[in-house]
Amino acid sequence: MSTQNLDQLCAKFGWNIADEVHQAIGKNAENHITKSLGVLQEDGVYAFFLYQASRGQREKPGAGKLRDQARELLKEAGIKGFEHAGEPLAAVREYLASDLDQLLLAKRLLEQALIYARYHAKALE
Amino acid sequence: MTCQPDVNKYYALALDPIHVGTGGMRLGRVDMSIVREPGTNVPKIPGTSLSGAARTYAAMQEEGKFPHCAGQGQADTGRGYQGHCGRPDCPICVTFGFSKGDQGSFQGLAQFSDARLVFFPVHSLAGPVWVTCPDALKDLEIPGAEPEDHQVRVASGVKASGRLNLGWLMLDVASNDFALQDQVPNVPQDILKHAVLVSNKMFGHIVNDNLEVRTSVSIDPATGAAAERALFTYEALPRASVLYFEVVVSDPQFYKIGDKAPLQNNGGKQKVIKTVEKGLTLFESLGVGGMNTRGMGRLRVLNLSAGGAE
């Protein structure tokens, strides 16, 4: 059985998120990432993707980048429902939400990547 | 003559959110995160925080002991601070220890454990419930079967059948026979009637997803509005959390300060216990941890008059 360094995966996507969100919305990047992390932690994975979809004009470009990177992270980690990297809200609704272990792992991975992204974004400002 | 230390067990109820910070040595969602157990990631209050605050509060209530016996041991003549007195009849120095550099030191006869989380409040469709797990109850010597990760056992006061949500997580109600009323008499009955038992694995997830997170900002006096770049966030154990800790008290007759047994003519072991409890009494007013002037830190120790639970 092959092993996978999940922290490395989170670090890679953490950096990608910070870089892309910063390019898209500049100095609002850290604030948007931190708020997204709060939604993820308190309300769960579905709420996190929904939050990205609901952003207004100012944050929308960054929210789109964040959603895409989060989806790629879950795909690379082999999370159920994200194998084909489709629409993340549908993947959570139809597959992930019914498997508690996979759901908790996905949430933990996203949390770690967003924590790294938050600090990367601080450094970019 | 054999040594039989007293193990005094205390329950504490958070009257405010409690923030015992890591000092910025941890990356997280917030700028100021709180201390956690390494293995389980569950927040706790370190014994050092309890002991330090109890020492200061006990010294405040002993004639002539504050501030010298309350703080650090070394004297600071520039500030007129004499440091610990280190006398064998001083209840503060004997109970909490002293350090006088070349003039000797003593470890103190009261040993504080960390305060561990036992009941954690979470909102649910059935109203507020207090989550616990078999590992937390094991500390209280209460055995219990662990539910499956997707299941929860609830107490009689939780009006839920079928499924119960704990924050964003929805779990199956395995049974409504989770009864603790007689086993933890010091914890308010209302909390015990609304207790729910989850697996050890889920406990950490549920606690960390439901911590209190606050955002603060400095006010710019020129504009009266939030100062630019002065926003910061911090987390805390929420109000109504229940914690459990122990204070082990050694018998002074087994120790010597200089050539004298500590507290020989000043109450012995009972004086040590009384001194600890005097300090713990003020937790309810002055609190532990940080942000005490901003609505945080007050903690009521629930079974003080009993000298700790058996």
Side-chain angles (χ1 to χ4, degrees):
Chain A
M1 187 178 164
S2 66
T3 56
Q4 188 176 15
N5 182 348
L6 293 174
D7 190 57
Q8 185 188 24
L9 196 65
C10 294
K12 175 179 143 189
F13 281 94
W15 166 248
N16 288 350
I17 289 167
D19 190 37
E20 293 210 359
V21 176
H22 190 260
Q23 281 183 30
I25 58 174
K27 66 176 187 172
N28 291 322
E30 189 210 335
N31 192 20
H32 177 66
I33 292 166
T34 302
K35 286 192 287 185
S36 301
L37 182 53
V39 172
L40 173 69
Q41 211 158 52
E42 290 197 16
D43 300 319
V45 177
Y46 188 77
F48 162 77
F49 282 113
L50 193 57
Y51 184 73
Q52 306 312 318
S54 72
R55 290 304 80 204
Q57 222 40 48
R58 196 177 69 165
E59 285 177 331
K60 207 162 200 66
K65 299 287 184 192
L66 180 45
R67 177 203 58 210
D68 293 345
Q69 287 297 323
R71 184 185 58 198
E72 287 305 309
L73 164 63
L74 298 183
K75 181 185 172 190
E76 273 199 35
I79 296 294
K80 186 174 175 178
F82 283 81
E83 299 90 342
H84 307 297
E87 164 58 37
L89 281 170
V92 179
R93 272 198 311 265
E94 288 161 25
Y95 301 100
L96 186 57
S98 60
D99 187 325
L100 188 57
D101 283 338
Q102 287 277 296
L103 183 61
L104 291 173
L105 175 62
K107 179 168 170 287
R108 185 77 188 88
L109 289 169
L110 288 173
E111 268 176 18
Q112 197 63 28
L114 288 171
I115 286 169
Y116 289 149
R118 180 177 180 232
Y119 285 84
H120 277 310
K122 264 182 199 275
L124 285 172
E125 284 178 14
Chain B
M1 191 166 70
T2 56
C3 180
Q4 296 292 339
D6 279 15
V7 181
N8 297 315
K9 303 174 177 183
Y10 296 101
Y11 296 88
L13 176 70
L15 303 181
D16 292 325
I18 294 176
H19 173 92
V20 179
T22 58
M25 290 184 294
R26 189 187 168 100
L27 297 185
R29 166 192 168 188
V30 294
D31 297 307
M32 296 159 73
S33 52
I34 55 175
V35 180
R36 288 173 163 82
E37 298 277 359
T40 59
N41 211 31
V42 172
K44 65 177 177 180
I45 301 177
T48 46
S49 300
L50 298 174
S51 173
R55 177 185 196 121
T56 299
Y57 301 156
M60 286 172 174
Q61 297 170 81
E62 288 282 340
E63 195 61 41
K65 294 300 175 189
F66 189 84
H68 307 294
C69 293
Q72 290 186 318
Q74 310 305 320
D76 182 348
T77 47
R79 287 170 45 220
Y81 175 66
Q82 297 160 16
H84 298 162
C85 73
R87 292 163 55 107
D89 62 346
C90 171
I92 308 301
C93 288
V94 170
T95 301
F96 297 99
F98 65 83
S99 167
K100 293 177 70 66
D102 295 344
Q103 298 165 59
S105 61
F106 183 72
Q107 72 158 7
L109 298 183
Q111 296 168 232
F112 285 73
S113 75
D114 293 342
R116 300 179 65 185
L117 198 54
V118 184
F119 296 105
F120 181 83
V122 178
H123 66 93
S124 77
L125 291 172
V129 296
W130 278 261
V131 180
T132 188
C133 71
D135 269 357
L137 294 178
K138 210 183 285 173
D139 282 352
L140 315 183
E141 293 164 17
I142 299 171
E146 184 174 3
E148 299 281 324
D149 288 338
H150 62 91
Q151 288 181 333
V152 60
R153 288 175 60 203
V154 305
S156 59
V158 181
K159 302 296 177 213
S161 57
R163 308 192 85 191
L164 178 73
N165 78 305
L166 300 169
W168 64 272
L169 266 175
M170 188 71 96
L171 302 176
D172 297 333
V173 177
S175 70
N176 58 358
D177 60 354
F178 183 51
L180 290 170
Q181 274 89 330
D182 303 330
Q183 297 174 80
V184 263
N186 301 294
V187 174
Q189 286 295 309
D190 202 40
I191 290 178
L192 299 178
K193 280 182 192 159
H194 293 89
V196 303
L197 182 76
V198 299
S199 70
N200 295 322
K201 176 175 133 185
M202 295 309 293
F203 186 62
H205 287 292
I206 292 165
V207 168
N208 281 299
D209 289 351
N210 292 282
L211 290 174
E212 178 154 345
V213 175
R214 287 198 196 181
T215 303
S216 284
V217 70
S218 296
I219 302 298
D220 182 340
T223 63
E228 190 70 20
R229 319 246 358 119
L231 196 73
F232 65 101
T233 52
Y234 45 97
E235 62 187 358
L237 274 173
R239 177 179 291 118
S241 298
V242 177
L243 300 113
Y244 164 82
F245 64 97
E246 292 178 346
V247 182
V248 179
V249 174
S250 299
D251 196 326
Q253 66 175 312
F254 291 96
Y255 299 85
K256 285 267 189 290
I257 295 175
D259 57 354
K260 291 184 178 162
L263 299 178
Q264 199 170 16
N265 302 312
N266 194 12
K269 188 158 64 171
Q270 284 311 310
K271 182 67 176 175
V272 177
I273 295 170
K274 265 191 182 162
T275 305
V276 167
E277 297 206 343
K278 263 187 172 178
L280 295 179
T281 308
L282 280 189
F283 280 22
E284 186 169 346
S285 312
L286 299 178
V288 292
M291 318 261 183
N292 287 172
T293 59
R294 283 169 279 178
M296 297 232 173
R298 289 181 307 157
L299 189 71
R300 178 179 296 151
V301 182
L302 295 168
N303 52 325
L304 275 180
S305 54
E310 288 308 308

